[in-house]
Amino acid sequence: MRQYFSLCVIFILLSLYAFADVVEEGGGIRGTIVNTKTGQPVEFVTVGIWKQGEEVPFTGTITDQTGEFYIGGLDKSEYIIRITYLGYETVERRVTISDDKTINLRKIEIAETAMEIEGAEIVAQASQMRFEIDKKVFNVDQNIASAGGSASEVLSNIPSVEVDNEGEISLRGSSNVTIWINGKAQGLTSDNQAQILEQLPAESIDRIEVITNPSAKYSPEGTSGIINIILKQDRKAGYYGSVQAGMDSHLGYNASANINYNKGKWEAYANVGYRHRVGKGEEYTYRTNLDENGLGQSMSLQDANSKNLGNGMHLRAGLTYRPTQKDYIYLDVFGMYGAGERETINDYRNGIPLPGQYTTSQRIATSENNNRGGNVMLSYRHEFSQNSKLDASASINAWRMKGISDYYQTTFIDSINYYSSYQGQTSNINNNSAEFQVDYVNNFNKNSKLEAGYKGSLGREKSPVETFSGLTSETAIFDPVLYNKFIYNLDVHALYATYSGRINKFGYNVGLRGEYTGINTKSLKHGEIEEDIKFFHNEYYSLFPSVFLTYELPKGHEVQVNYTRRISRPRGHQLNSFINISDSANISFGNPLLEPQFSNSFELNYIKSWPKHTISFSGWYRDVNNVMQRIRYRDEEVMKSTFVNISGMQSAGVELVAKNEFFTFFNLTSTVNLFYQKLEGFKYIAQGIEDPIIGEESKGFTWNARLIANFVFPHAMSLQITGNYNSPRIVAQGTQEANYALDAGFRKSFFDRKLSVAVNARDILNSRKWHTNTFGEGFVQEYSSWRNGRTFSLTVTYAFGNMHPTKKATRQVDTSTGYEEEI
């Protein structure tokens, strides 16, 4: 496979020369859209161009993250530029193209729309959901229902994204999704992802990008795509900030503050937040044990109730220095500290469901843990010219979690007699990683762009676990059989290159990414010396091509077809062979022989835009090989589960999104996902089990829908209602039943929007629950769970400061090239 990795290097080098002399034709228009009141750039604004006297648009685009836009390939003619954005007044400009030069309209101001109703002013609300042809962007500030919540709660309100009661995130029905913070892993792993996202406050998030089929420029990890959480980092001259505090009906509370100060060549920001969480939950399991004829032989019932407390501190700070007009140096620091307590009471019944024919037992599990972690990133950017730049960054991440768990079990022989036992566990997870990245971009002209780069990720994890067993906690002694020290090292090195071009209305992007993966794991038992035990080693080279084809149709239509190859590597806990005894009736462990799964993904995207309406259509097909799945099987009276590569899976679906502004005071975003999934049958032989575990082929159609309704009322008041429904779907060895939820939020602003009060209700119908039905050799099982339930919260925010638009460098057009240059 090494020759394939070398091929990627050659592809990158050849690309640097192959397109250097591409010549463009036609004139162009560029500019920057800013908010009239604040001077801030406004991203994702629709910029349409009409030829003078024509009723249908000639072409168009949307602004980028800096509010800038560029439209090229324009014939010599007179044009009308129409700038539209939900919540803002429409602006028009007349422009004449007389040659092949680029006209710079510089800064174009747009004002928030307002109308009078019986003397009261209504200010329109900015859009919550924005479209690009290859991704969807969600503005968290406009998600009132998540005010005062966590990143996990924000994600649960995003179309196509699901968050279960354990904090696991799925995209389009698949949990094989990559989560980033500011475009990087930032130390997120399978072990700490749920804790970090639960501690990360919603008010620190600016927007969330959902990229379902990323190009070769991005990491191919996660067969269903990437969810990128972009944290707030405003860049305006002056000083400004805000403070926020809130509480909920479970007696949880939170507080945060942020401040920014920018002057001259220096920009700085800091954000600190604290969250105290109070939660509860319940799980119910009913298993019927079958004989060799498939008839019910006995039953096992488990009813678990839990309550938990958690505290978390979040800190983020950054500094930017610009020594010259072409150089930027960035320093970003991100840190967290948290602690939590949890108590779960498990009640069991085992035997024949007749009076006196079954035994009862109770297991009380208590745990305490504290975690801390951080990320430090140093970045540098050099702009060779307006059209080419080099970005380089290096970051280090460290995360620690120490936990103490106690398990008290009592088994009742009859109403008088019983016996008890105790087990205690201590764990200490240490995760360290580093990332290095270099990206080069060269816009040879307005119709061709080359991007190339390198990314290296180095991960090191150690997680020793010690267990103590006895009749009581006072008499418990060290249990060498249940000792484990798991070591997990993961190295990934990647090179990529992509080339984008355009011929009239036809655009294309082709790319290739080559990756080397090295995995080393070892699981140490008591008495074994680390140096004496060999690593289980697995390394492989992989190529990940991508192709994106785009065509701009008339009248505001745009269509794109793309293909990518992606991978999901096994995570640390999936590889760890240690036996988890936290629930004695349901034992789980990992599989060190687990291999990665690969997918080939195809997608068709279509967008049609009107001034107040947008429709997005996505059709997709995904073929996954070597699927990693958790399987369950019965070993006498105990249910065991592990991860195996079982077979292949094919899925196809359609995603429809409509964004409509019906009135100035009301807009609606509707999302419907329909998809079909087929999981091939499999056969697996588990250690210590005579009969093979057989999974029959399963297939089925499922769908989900989400509605987000926004109302804007007089006197700076707004209301948001969010509802979602998930139909039944297939899972490995069974099905998941339908579920639904309803959330709402209300916000009122005072003193020219410097002070705002938000009240929201989450899970109003108390229906955010999960139900699954699974079956296998010798058993049929029902399982249900819920967490927290109906919750009400109140959040107060106050903004302060002296904000002015950042001064831009003066630019002029170089008459020899037709491009602008800074002066």
Side-chain angles (χ1 to χ4, degrees), residues 435-504:
E435 288 188 11
F436 307 93
Q437 188 166 342
V438 179
D439 298 285
Y440 172 74
V441 179
N442 192 335
N443 290 280
F444 297 114
N445 52 58
K446 66 187 179 186
N447 288 331
S448 62
K449 179 172 70 173
L450 172 71
E451 297 180 89
Y454 159 81
K455 182 177 181 180
S457 301
L458 310 175
R460 301 291 182 267
E461 180 180 315
K462 291 184 179 181
S463 51
V465 176
E466 293 183 342
T467 303
F468 299 83
S469 301
L471 295 178
T472 66
S473 58
E474 291 78 12
T475 60
I477 60 174
F478 175 71
D479 191 338
V481 177
L482 296 177
Y483 171 85
N484 177 259
K485 182 178 181 180
F486 182 65
I487 300 173
Y488 173 58
N489 299 335
L490 172 64
D491 295 343
V492 180
H493 298 275
L495 291 169
Y496 77 88
T498 67
Y499 176 73
S500 303
R502 177 170 289 275
I503 303 173
N504 297 324

Side-chain angles (χ1 to χ4, degrees), residues 299-319:
M299 66 88 184
S300 295
L301 182 149
Q302 176 187 354
D303 192 0
N305 290 273
S306 64
K307 56 183 179 180
N308 59 81
L309 299 174
N311 301 285
M313 178 76 73
H314 161 263
L315 172 66
R316 184 168 175 261
L319 183 68

Side-chain angles (χ1 to χ4, degrees), residues 61-328:
T61 187
I62 58 175
T63 58
D64 62 16
Q65 296 177 6
T66 63
E68 297 183 359
F69 70 89
Y70 174 80
I71 299 174
L74 300 177
D75 302 330
K76 296 178 183 179
S77 183
E78 293 184 355
Y79 295 91
I80 296 176
I81 299 177
R82 184 171 297 157
I83 298 163
T84 58
Y85 187 54
L86 185 63
Y88 287 81
E89 296 178 354
T90 299
V91 175
E92 291 187 357
R93 292 284 190 273
R94 295 180 182 273
V95 178
T96 300
I97 301 293
S98 58
D99 51 32
D100 291 343
K101 303 292 180 59
T102 296
I103 296 177
N104 185 10
L105 299 178
R106 302 190 183 281
K107 192 180 299 181
I108 303 173
E109 296 183 346
I110 58 175
E112 297 180 24
T113 56
M115 71 176 184
E116 297 286 334
I117 295 182
E118 297 181 356
E121 182 184 57
I122 294 181
V123 178
Q125 181 175 302
S127 175
Q128 182 184 11
M129 183 176 181
R130 302 163 183 171
F131 295 90
E132 287 190 43
I133 193 67
D134 59 346
K135 63 183 175 184
K136 296 176 180 65
V137 183
F138 302 87
N139 187 342
V140 175
D141 277 343
Q142 302 306 319
N143 193 337
I144 305 174
S146 298
S150 66
S152 294
E153 291 170 335
V154 173
L155 289 170
S156 68
N157 275 322
I158 290 179
S160 303
V161 178
E162 292 180 48
V163 182
D164 69 13
N165 59 338
E166 297 299 328
E168 184 175 60
I169 299 168
S170 300
L171 176 61
R172 287 181 174 174
S174 171
S175 61
N176 292 305
V177 57
T178 296
I179 310 297
W180 281 347
I181 297 178
N182 287 344
K184 299 181 183 298
Q186 300 276 19
L188 288 175
T189 69
S190 59
D191 294 312
N192 63 23
Q193 179 175 284
Q195 290 92 338
I196 288 179
L197 295 180
E198 187 66 32
Q199 290 177 215
L200 185 65
E203 59 269 19
S204 68
I205 303 173
D206 178 51
R207 64 188 184 275
I208 294 177
E209 301 174 341
V210 177
I211 313 171
T212 53
N213 211 23
S215 72
K217 176 182 177 179
Y218 301 96
S219 168
E221 181 68 37
T223 52
S224 62
I226 295 172
I227 297 175
N228 188 20
I229 300 172
I230 306 295
L231 302 181
K232 291 179 179 177
Q233 187 176 338
D234 295 330
R235 297 185 181 277
K236 302 183 290 290
Y239 73 92
Y240 51 96
S242 66
V243 292
Q244 185 178 79
M247 64 179 298
D248 63 43
S249 55
H250 295 305
L251 301 183
Y253 52 87
N254 64 87
S256 66
N258 70 83
I259 188 169
N260 299 259
Y261 180 77
N262 301 326
K263 184 176 181 180
K265 296 182 178 181
W266 294 91
E267 300 177 353
Y269 69 91
N271 177 280
V272 62
Y274 175 81
R275 285 178 56 80
H276 175 72
R277 305 181 306 279
V278 180
K280 59 183 179 179
E282 184 175 351
E283 297 182 20
Y284 175 83
T285 304
Y286 187 92
R287 185 176 74 248
T288 301
N289 302 312
L290 308 176
D291 60 20
E292 61 274 9
N293 297 316
L295 301 176
Q297 187 178 38
S298 62
M299 66 88 184
S300 295
L301 182 149
Q302 176 187 354
D303 192 0
N305 290 273
S306 64
K307 56 183 179 180
N308 59 81
L309 299 174
N311 301 285
M313 178 76 73
H314 161 263
L315 172 66
R316 184 168 175 261
L319 183 68
T320 300
Y321 174 61
R322 188 175 183 178
T324 71
Q325 292 293 314
K326 295 182 178 293
D327 296 280
Y328 300 79

Side-chain angles (χ1 to χ4, degrees), residues 382-659:
H382 177 72
E383 296 179 348
F384 298 100
S385 68
Q386 181 188 347
N387 306 303
S388 65
K389 63 183 179 181
L390 179 72
D391 287 289
S393 66
S395 64
I396 56 174
N397 312 284
W399 189 75
R400 307 282 184 272
M401 186 173 78
K402 294 183 179 180
I404 300 175
S405 300
D406 296 292
Y407 306 100
Y408 301 87
Q409 181 150 335
T410 303
T411 301
F412 299 92
I413 301 174
D414 50 42
S415 59
I416 300 176
N417 301 303
Y418 65 89
Y419 61 89
S420 301
S421 63
Y422 166 83
Q423 284 183 324
Q425 276 189 348
T426 62
S427 61
N428 187 6
I429 299 175
N430 294 272
N431 185 288
N432 298 285
S433 62
E435 288 188 11
F436 307 93
Q437 188 166 342
V438 179
D439 298 285
Y440 172 74
V441 179
N442 192 335
N443 290 280
F444 297 114
N445 52 58
K446 66 187 179 186
N447 288 331
S448 62
K449 179 172 70 173
L450 172 71
E451 297 180 89
Y454 159 81
K455 182 177 181 180
S457 301
L458 310 175
R460 301 291 182 267
E461 180 180 315
K462 291 184 179 181
S463 51
V465 176
E466 293 183 342
T467 303
F468 299 83
S469 301
L471 295 178
T472 66
S473 58
E474 291 78 12
T475 60
I477 60 174
F478 175 71
D479 191 338
V481 177
L482 296 177
Y483 171 85
N484 177 259
K485 182 178 181 180
F486 182 65
I487 300 173
Y488 173 58
N489 299 335
L490 172 64
D491 295 343
V492 180
H493 298 275
L495 291 169
Y496 77 88
T498 67
Y499 176 73
S500 303
R502 177 170 289 275
I503 303 173
N504 297 324
K505 295 182 180 295
F506 174 74
Y508 57 92
N509 178 298
V510 293
L512 182 65
R513 186 182 186 96
E515 289 195 347
Y516 161 81
T517 302
I519 299 176
N520 289 289
T521 65
K522 66 170 66 174
S523 186
L524 301 173
K525 298 179 181 178
H526 177 65
E528 295 180 333
I529 301 174
E530 183 174 332
E531 290 73 17
D532 294 341
I533 304 300
K534 292 183 179 181
F535 275 104
F536 178 83
H537 179 71
N538 189 14
E539 67 173 1
Y540 45 90
Y541 295 83
S542 309
L543 287 179
F544 301 96
S546 68
V547 179
F548 288 71
L549 305 176
T550 305
Y551 188 76
E552 292 185 9
L553 299 169
K555 299 183 181 181
H557 302 255
E558 188 171 3
V559 64
Q560 181 198 80
V561 179
N562 60 60
Y563 160 78
T564 67
R565 185 174 189 252
R566 301 188 61 76
I567 185 175
S568 284
R569 299 177 179 89
R571 302 168 182 175
H573 72 279
Q574 295 175 315
L575 296 169
N576 188 359
S577 59
F578 174 66
I579 298 174
N580 186 342
I581 62 166
S582 59
D583 182 351
S584 59
N586 297 277
I587 295 176
S588 61
F589 51 92
N591 177 8
L593 301 178
L594 204 60
E595 294 285 341
Q597 66 180 36
F598 293 89
S599 69
N600 292 289
S601 299
F602 302 83
E603 197 165 296
L604 169 66
N605 297 312
Y606 167 78
I607 293 178
K608 165 62 178 173
S609 298
W610 295 271
K612 294 186 178 182
H613 306 278
T614 302
I615 293 178
S616 169
F617 167 89
S618 295
W620 54 275
Y621 171 79
R622 185 165 58 232
D623 181 34
V624 185
N625 299 313
N626 218 25
V627 174
M628 294 184 296
Q629 282 278 7
R630 178 191 290 273
I631 65 165
R632 296 173 173 83
Y633 59 95
R634 178 185 163 199
D635 186 359
E636 296 182 351
E637 299 303 317
V638 176
M639 284 298 296
K640 293 184 176 181
S641 65
T642 188
F643 296 92
V644 297
N645 297 106
I646 53 175
S647 58
M649 181 172 65
Q650 297 80 42
S651 54
V654 172
E655 180 183 70
L656 299 170
V657 182
K659 186 175 69 174

